[in-house]
Amino acid sequence: MILRHLALRAPPRAALAARQCRRFMASEVDILERNVDNSLKETHSIETTINSQSNHYVPAYNPDAERQAALTDPAVAEDWQAHLHSRRVSSKIGAKVSPYYAPHTLVNNPPRPSDVTLELLLASQAHLGHSTAVWNPANARYIFGIREGIHIIALDQTAAYLRRAAKVVREVARRGGLILFVGTRDGQERAIVKAAQLAQGCHLYDRWIPGSLTNGQQILGKCRMKVVDEMDKELPDFNPQLIDRPVLKPDLVVCLNPLENYVLLHECALNHVPTIGIIDTNAFPTWVTYPIPANDDSLRCTQVIAGVLGRAGEEGQKLRLQAAAAGEVTFTPSQNLEMPEDFSSEGSPSGSEGAKKQVARMEGAQPKVIRTEGARTEGAETEGVAPGVPEREPPVMPGDGASPSPVGREAI
């Protein structure tokens, strides 16, 4: 290849170099062949001399004798057939490694809450804690024992707390609550996004902006909102009433790494937002409302837990839509929204018969408010927030006035 490129760049000189190289290689091969022939002739002459001067006959050396003997010997063919037969018989003998771990399956097809087993958690390394020197004594009830200076987490506790957290996520989703999935460590992006898509919630994998809950009106005040009915159908006629409406807050926060997101958990506590978090042996279980004792350093473990919670949210959304199709509204309607005078459904002109029937149907089931896709505050760093995933307003329970109440507390 080098000589060819040289020939393209400088044809006369490169062509001369190529011819000289070929001439050199050919001469070397000829020299080697002549040396082999001379050696063979010398061997034959030595054999002839020995046979003439000695009574012991020395057979002549033939390089191709062994190969010709192997081709004509029937034992070689029998041995080859026996080898083929042994390979056909023994190919089905032995253990097969199945099922085996494929990293993409936990993200593309997450397990359901009913699929949580101790074998799955053990294979996901959920039982490995931290060194005994950095443990938090508050996690003593979650620890099974110590092995080689490392705390071992009890997987029966992990399975029980994970199933409880899945029930919380399912009920919050069934009652129309907004679920925020947070995971800011490297490698957690795909699992977080998939869980948010299943639960129809939001995700954050970059960085939590301090004050997004405690000072949300300043950070998220310019986010646009929209109104949907019980079947998640947008109702644009309510948009004029959403101009001065307060910002939305999540009803439940799922955090995969609480140690790095203490500010988020603190703001959730100040705003009475329930939280779910993976608690390792060095973390504080009181930081979250629903702890899940597990290994937060294992990417496979976090993928399993995020997938299970995402599947639980998906199940809750299906139950909500099924109830809405049967005429039952499982969420609390948004307050301070009035029915527009000339309300019209999408695709129907204002004042038509279809619009009047839509108004009559909407009088029984009030709408709810969710945030539109792609809305962000100017100057705020919100790259980790998922665009295209709607957020719903925290429902207001009867008798509470205008103060929102997280649906997770009333749902459980």
Side-chain angles (χ1 to χ4, degrees), residues 67 76 94 117 120 130 142 144 229 251 265 271 328 370 402:
R67 187 175 65 88
V76 176
T117 59
L120 176 61
H130 281 271
Y142 308 136
F144 176 78
D229 59 2
D251 299 303
L265 300 177
N271 289 271
E328 178 185 358
I370 67 173

Side-chain angles (χ1 to χ4, degrees), residues 88-169:
R88 286 193 301 267
V89 173
S90 61
S91 60
K92 300 181 180 179
I93 300 176
K96 293 183 178 180
V97 183
S98 177
Y100 55 90
Y101 171 57
H104 62 277
T105 56
L106 291 177
V107 177
N108 299 336
N109 187 21
R112 300 181 181 276
S114 58
D115 300 333
V116 177
T117 59
L118 299 184
E119 290 81 3
L120 176 61
L121 296 176
L122 182 64
S124 305
Q125 302 177 355
H127 61 290
L128 298 178
H130 281 271
S131 174
T132 56
V134 295
W135 80 304
N136 190 339
N139 297 318
R141 51 184 173 178
Y142 308 136
I143 296 176
F144 176 78
I146 301 175
R147 182 177 177 84
E148 297 182 358
I150 298 177
H151 278 124
I152 304 300
I153 301 174
L155 292 182
D156 53 348
Q157 298 280 343
T158 303
Y161 281 92
L162 179 56
R163 295 190 184 100
R164 184 184 70 163
K167 291 182 179 179
V168 173
V169 174

Side-chain angles (χ1 to χ4, degrees), residues 59 98 106 157 163 216 218 224 245 270 303 312 378 388 395 397 411:
S98 177
L106 291 177
Q157 298 280 343
R163 295 190 184 100
Q218 295 295 330
R224 191 170 58 89
R245 197 168 184 86
L270 294 177
Q303 289 177 351
E378 295 182 3
M397 302 304 294

Side-chain angles (χ1 to χ4, degrees), residues 106-315:
L106 291 177
V107 177
N108 299 336
N109 187 21
R112 300 181 181 276
S114 58
D115 300 333
V116 177
T117 59
L118 299 184
E119 290 81 3
L120 176 61
L121 296 176
L122 182 64
S124 305
Q125 302 177 355
H127 61 290
L128 298 178
H130 281 271
S131 174
T132 56
V134 295
W135 80 304
N136 190 339
N139 297 318
R141 51 184 173 178
Y142 308 136
I143 296 176
F144 176 78
I146 301 175
R147 182 177 177 84
E148 297 182 358
I150 298 177
H151 278 124
I152 304 300
I153 301 174
L155 292 182
D156 53 348
Q157 298 280 343
T158 303
Y161 281 92
L162 179 56
R163 295 190 184 100
R164 184 184 70 163
K167 291 182 179 179
V168 173
V169 174
R170 183 188 63 185
E171 288 300 318
V172 172
R174 189 180 70 87
R175 301 201 177 189
L178 171 63
I179 304 176
L180 174 62
F181 292 86
V182 180
T184 57
R185 288 185 180 177
D186 294 337
Q188 296 179 352
E189 296 87 354
R190 295 182 60 190
I192 287 294
V193 173
K194 183 64 176 181
Q197 290 176 353
L198 292 175
Q200 298 183 16
C202 298
H203 64 263
L204 176 67
Y205 55 80
D206 186 11
R207 185 180 69 91
W208 173 258
I209 302 176
S212 297
L213 292 181
T214 55
N215 194 22
Q217 198 66 32
Q218 295 295 330
I219 298 178
L220 304 175
K222 296 183 180 180
C223 292
R224 191 170 58 89
M225 292 183 292
K226 65 180 179 181
V227 179
V228 298
D229 59 2
E230 67 275 7
M231 297 301 296
D232 290 344
K233 183 180 178 181
E234 184 178 359
L235 306 176
D237 293 329
F238 289 89
N239 291 341
Q241 305 181 32
L242 304 178
I243 297 177
D244 298 330
R245 197 168 184 86
V247 297
L248 303 178
K249 297 179 181 180
D251 299 303
L252 179 66
V253 175
V254 178
C255 184
L256 301 185
N257 52 336
L259 291 178
E260 290 83 357
N261 294 283
Y262 171 74
V263 177
L264 164 64
L265 300 177
H266 182 66
E267 293 185 16
C268 291
L270 294 177
N271 289 271
H272 306 286
V273 177
T275 54
I276 297 175
I278 300 179
I279 299 300
D280 211 331
T281 56
N282 64 334
F284 294 87
T286 57
W287 283 5
V288 296
T289 310
Y290 302 98
I292 302 177
N295 182 12
D296 60 351
D297 297 318
S298 173
L299 183 60
R300 185 176 179 183
C301 178
T302 55
Q303 289 177 351
V304 169
I305 293 178
V308 169
L309 299 181
R311 288 291 190 184
E314 181 185 25
E315 182 181 355

